[in-house]
Amino acid sequence: MRRNSISALALLPLVSQVQAALDGDALAKQYFGNDAPWYRNRIPFFETSDKDITDVYYYRWNIFRAHQRDLGANGFISTEFLDDVGWQTKPWASLNDATVFHLLEGRWCRDRRFKEDYATFMFSSNSNTRQFSESMAASVYKGYLVDGVAADATARLNAMMSVYEAWQDAFDTSKGLYYVEPLRDATEYTISSIDATGGQDGFTGGNSFRPSINAYQYDNAISIAKLAQLKGGSGDTVTTYNQRAADIKSRVQNDLWNSTFEHFIDRYQVDNSFVKYWDFIRGRELVGFVPWAHDLPDDTPEFAETWKHALDTNEFAGPHGLRTVGPTYEYYMRQYRYVEENGRQSECQWNGPVWPFQTTQVLTGLANFLDHYPNGTATGVISKGDYTKILQQYAKLHYNPERGNILDLEEDYYPDTGFPIVGLKRSPHYFHSGFVDSVLSGFVGIRPSADDVLEVNPAAEASAISYFRADSIIYHGHEIAVQWDADGSRYGSAGLKIEVDGKVVASAPTLSRLSVQLSRTAPPAITHKIAKSIKLSTDTVFPAGSASVSGVDAVFLYGAIDGRTWFFPETDVANGWSTPEGNGTEVWFQVDFGSSTAVSSAEIAFFANAEQGFDVPTSYRVQAAIGDTWVDVSESKYAESVANGITEASWSEANSSKVRIVFTPKDGQKVRLVEFKLF
């Protein structure tokens, strides 16, 4: 579907000069402080002339890191919330509605363990794979497009097919389409669910044939077929899933496209006194753009026309973000649902608020549209300038005006003010959206491919963006970088450039498509260091945490060994165990494994914040229980205590059922032990 690709061979005599990379050490220190070592060799580095996009890019890696939960022998997963919530899959804290974003962000992480552990977990019996609608198979395949490691992606093929087949219970054979309750689509209070109650509620109910779940299943089917072909197995699997995708595509385009609204919209599956089966809902919703995020629609001017609604200020284009429903809807922004938490607080709804979740889907869909829908883009209905403006607007949404404009992404927002709507304890630094992927695959324009090719087609608008550079990116096993400098004033050389393994291999004077052949090589191997101290939930018997201070709530003891490590200062959820103010007395935190366990190292996370009275201890040491006696571990190597980062300790292997860290808080200061992880 791609057009006008510029061959590198036509552009270059053989350019080989080495370019100056971004200063990763300085950037990691600037954005992550003492936690910089975690990021230094794990993330691609990036900058652009738009400071908000640059700052939010690094903040989103902070979110990514904060939501990596270590499950010990079960590897890492990404969480949606920083703390436990009642509807998560227990004891893991997984939620499959956000998995697509987690995997697409994670495909750019240089340490492949996080996305690989997570994908393995989500396709295991431990995960609730169908709690919400999902496009997990498609996300795994898109991860393969970046790293090129076929064996990892295809290893989950049978599980992918099992999950796909299980969705048959939500498939209407008479219509050839999937239906879903909006709540199970992670979008409660939509037009269908509200109108199915006559406007009285909308939290549950309102089952409908939605563009979302059908686009997900289309992409899942396409991806399963491609992975099956890659694996070289039965041709029947390839044929079957390609046909299923083709059937869904046909039905969505014929039956969910509404020519009056010029949009993909829901049809009701529910039939009651308020709404009728197979009737269209009575308005456009932002979800109608989701098919482009999964490359479902044909490239026609008719379908392309819907993109004008994304720019219409009387419809989706709010002053501070994309509305999920336009203001002409009868129940636009009516607040139905509340929760008691420090008073009456608003809960999540999709009848107008701006959601980062769906904003990400629109940006992904628009990047696809601008990249390989030539008939659609020829209409001029929407442009790279519009993509850039939406991304800029989305970046600004990450600054929380209720918290002094700090970077703090929450769940949903008022379109007219940009203020958060749902500001609950669970809400800060919410991870049910993407940004890194939008920057790298959209704005910078790295278009991952299954072929031995590197293609770049930036969605950034040259008149709005004078420079950008993204480097330290691992693509198909190579180190790549993409650089744009409008006039040469930033990097000393004007134009767009692609670098592979430190050398320029393609260039163009404008922000246009570049394509170069790129042989595939193996990326760095994954290392699996297994933590032995992880307590999966407060109900898990072992490992068990305890402290020298009596009367500590069990949730805080659990928080110090729950596999979560983050240092945001403004959250009031349980993030480890905090000591009383220091008075010269030693304190300790103990891990009871329940049986003799061999350990020889620790990663210790101390939180520090002067305003809150937290600092690192004056000193610390690790002890193991030998019978009833505590003994300092032998041959110990203790790094200096690090505030808001990882303090590493190692010693000669000790076999014990109990290990503890002993330390002395500074006088008048508390110590918060965010995580005590033993290996």
Side-chain angles (χ1 to χ4, degrees):
M1 296 174 70
R2 291 181 177 132
R3 301 291 188 271
N4 301 323
S5 178
I6 300 175
S7 168
L9 297 178
L11 284 166
L12 300 173
L14 260 182
V15 183
S16 60
Q17 65 265 33
V18 176
Q19 296 293 294
L22 298 174
D23 188 339
D25 290 332
L27 287 168
K29 186 66 177 178
Q30 174 187 344
Y31 284 101
F32 308 118
N34 287 343
D35 204 27
W38 190 92
Y39 299 88
R40 179 60 185 89
N41 293 312
R42 286 192 169 103
I43 71 169
F45 290 95
F46 168 77
E47 69 170 12
T48 180
S49 54
D50 188 301
K51 187 176 186 300
D52 287 340
I53 293 177
T54 303
D55 290 349
V56 171
Y57 173 84
Y58 289 105
Y59 166 66
R60 291 304 299 248
W61 277 116
N62 198 349
I63 282 184
F64 180 85
R65 190 269 205 270
H67 284 271
Q68 297 309 305
R69 189 186 185 193
D70 191 341
L71 301 179
N74 288 288
F76 282 87
I77 66 166
S78 295
T79 61
E80 185 174 339
F81 299 92
L82 286 178
D83 205 7
D84 292 330
V85 293
W87 59 95
Q88 68 191 25
T89 301
K90 298 178 180 178
W92 320 105
S94 62
L95 285 163
N96 78 318
D97 55 337
T99 299
V100 54
F101 304 111
H102 299 160
L103 290 175
L104 291 181
E105 297 285 273
R107 68 178 177 163
W108 300 105
C109 183
R110 294 169 57 87
D111 186 344
R112 296 172 49 250
R113 179 182 182 183
F114 299 105
K115 80 174 180 68
E116 292 303 320
D117 277 5
Y118 185 36
T120 297
F121 176 87
M122 292 306 292
F123 280 106
S124 74
S125 59
N126 290 325
S127 170
N128 185 349
T129 55
R130 299 180 60 243
Q131 184 174 3
F132 296 96
S133 57
E134 47 78 25
S135 57
M136 296 192 300
S139 302
V140 169
Y141 179 71
K142 289 168 186 173
Y144 156 71
L145 296 183
V146 172
D147 66 29
V149 182
D152 289 343
T154 58
R156 307 178 186 102
L157 186 58
N158 289 338
M160 290 175 183
M161 290 189 289
S162 295
V163 173
Y164 192 95
E165 296 304 325
W167 282 106
Q168 287 300 110
D169 64 4
F171 187 72
D172 187 323
T173 55
S174 71
K175 301 302 182 186
L177 289 167
Y178 292 88
Y179 59 89
V180 68
E181 181 184 36
L183 176 61
R184 197 180 180 195
D185 210 25
T187 57
E188 57 271 36
Y189 293 95
T190 63
I191 291 178
S192 67
S193 64
I194 294 172
D195 283 1
T197 71
Q200 297 304 302
D201 194 32
F203 179 59
T204 59
N207 289 13
S208 59
F209 302 96
R210 307 204 78 208
S212 49
I213 189 171
N214 285 285
Y216 301 160
Q217 287 293 81
Y218 166 81
D219 205 356
N220 283 335
I222 287 284
S223 299
I224 288 170
K226 289 179 177 177
L227 288 170
Q229 188 171 27
L230 194 63
K231 192 173 184 178
S234 169
D236 291 343
T237 300
V238 177
T239 301
T240 297
Y241 282 91
N242 275 332
Q243 187 60 54
R244 288 183 176 182
D247 291 344
I248 294 169
K249 177 186 177 82
S250 175
R251 292 293 189 142
V252 169
Q253 293 189 142
N254 290 331
D255 295 334
L256 297 188
W257 177 259
N258 185 295
S259 58
T260 301
F261 285 114
E262 298 177 310
H263 204 58
F264 290 108
I265 64 175
D266 295 13
R267 285 182 184 261
Y268 290 106
Q269 190 270 341
V270 65
D271 192 303
N272 62 27
S273 59
F274 300 108
V275 298
K276 298 302 178 186
Y277 175 85
W278 202 238
D279 279 356
F280 279 115
I281 61 172
R282 55 171 165 152
R284 300 182 193 92
E285 295 179 310
L286 199 63
V287 71
F289 294 108
V290 170
W292 278 275
H294 299 274
D295 273 331
L296 183 151
D298 284 334
D299 180 19
T300 69
E302 178 189 8
F303 291 146
E305 280 301 305
T306 197
W307 284 100
K308 68 187 179 187
H309 303 300
L311 307 179
D312 189 337
T313 56
N314 293 316
E315 293 191 72
F316 296 121
H320 291 270
L322 294 171
R323 304 180 181 102
T324 46
V325 175
T328 58
Y329 176 52
E330 181 180 2
Y331 303 113
Y332 172 74
M333 294 300 293
R334 176 181 291 189
Q335 189 64 39
Y336 289 91
R337 189 166 173 245
Y338 297 90
V339 65
E340 292 297 324
E341 183 180 291
N342 297 323
R344 194 180 191 220
Q345 305 291 332
S346 297
E347 258 288 9
C348 298
Q349 299 185 180
W350 287 74
N351 56 339
V354 177
W355 277 85
F357 166 3
Q358 222 157 70
T359 300
T360 306
Q361 291 177 312
V362 171
L363 283 166
T364 300
L366 182 51
N368 288 341
F369 179 79
L370 294 170
D371 180 67
H372 49 266
Y373 284 76
N375 296 328
T377 54
T379 65
V381 66
I382 198 166
S383 68
K384 290 186 175 184
D386 298 314
Y387 178 94
T388 302
K389 288 176 183 176
I390 293 170
L391 183 65
Q392 289 171 322
Q393 185 184 56
Y394 179 33
K396 291 182 184 300
L397 204 66
H398 288 70
Y399 295 87
N400 190 339
E402 293 184 335
R403 296 187 174 184
N405 280 322
I406 64 167
L407 283 164
D408 169 29
L409 185 68
E410 305 227 348
E411 297 181 59
D412 62 344
Y413 295 82
Y414 292 104
D416 293 338
T417 66
F419 277 65
I421 297 174
V422 178
L424 302 174
K425 289 182 179 180
R426 71 176 193 235
S427 301
H429 311 295
Y430 182 54
F431 194 18
H432 192 166
S433 61
F435 191 85
V436 169
D437 188 60
S438 294
V439 167
L440 296 178
S441 70
F443 182 83
V444 172
I446 303 168
R447 308 300 300 175
S449 173
D451 298 326
D452 291 340
V453 66
L454 169 58
E455 190 166 59
V456 172
N457 186 23
E461 169 57 47
S463 64
I465 302 297
S466 60
Y467 67 84
F468 65 71
R469 180 178 172 87
D471 66 26
S472 301
I473 301 163
I474 298 179
Y475 176 79
H476 289 195
H478 295 273
E479 294 273 355
I480 71 163
V482 181
Q483 177 179 295
W484 161 249
D485 192 337
D487 58 11
S489 60
R490 182 69 177 183
Y491 306 116
S493 179
L496 179 67
K497 300 186 188 323
I498 297 178
E499 301 162 28
V500 175
D501 298 328
K503 304 211 179 276
V504 176
V505 296
S507 65
T510 60
L511 285 174
S512 53
R513 188 186 308 278
L514 290 173
S515 181
V516 297
Q517 295 298 308
L518 189 67
S519 61
R520 197 167 306 210
T521 187
I526 298 173
T527 58
H528 292 276
K529 190 177 180 182
I530 305 299
K532 300 180 179 181
S533 53
I534 305 301
K535 186 177 180 67
L536 294 176
S537 73
T538 54
D539 299 329
T540 306
V541 178
F542 294 109
S546 60
S548 56
V549 180
S550 61
V552 180
D553 191 318
V555 72
F556 296 106
L557 299 174
Y558 156 65
I561 50 174
D562 66 352
R564 298 175 171 102
T565 302
W566 47 270
F567 305 103
F568 297 119
E570 75 286 353
T571 57
D572 54 3
V573 299
N575 184 30
W577 170 61
S578 300
T579 71
E581 290 184 359
N583 60 6
T585 303
E586 280 192 330
V587 296
W588 50 258
F589 180 89
Q590 170 187 303
V591 178
D592 184 346
F593 297 107
S595 61
S596 183
T597 301
V599 291
S600 59
S601 65
E603 293 179 359
I604 309 159
F606 293 118
F607 172 74
N609 183 280
E611 292 182 2
Q612 298 176 27
F614 288 100
D615 202 350
V616 297
T618 57
S619 62
Y620 69 93
R621 67 187 191 279
V622 175
Q623 294 183 324
I626 307 299
D628 294 329
T629 304
W630 286 97
V631 178
D632 289 352
V633 292
S634 61
E635 300 181 33
S636 57
K637 296 179 181 178
Y638 298 139
E640 184 178 350
S641 297
V642 175
N644 301 325
I646 300 302
T647 302
E648 296 192 357
S650 63
W651 54 88
S652 179
E653 185 177 279
N655 285 275
S656 177
S657 62
K658 298 177 183 178
V659 173
R660 70 182 185 181
I661 181 171
V662 182
F663 55 88
T664 305
K666 295 176 182 176
D667 287 348
Q669 298 289 302
K670 297 172 289 184
V671 172
R672 177 177 293 168
L673 182 63
V674 170
E675 193 72 16
F676 182 41
K677 195 180 290 189
L678 291 159
F679 302 90

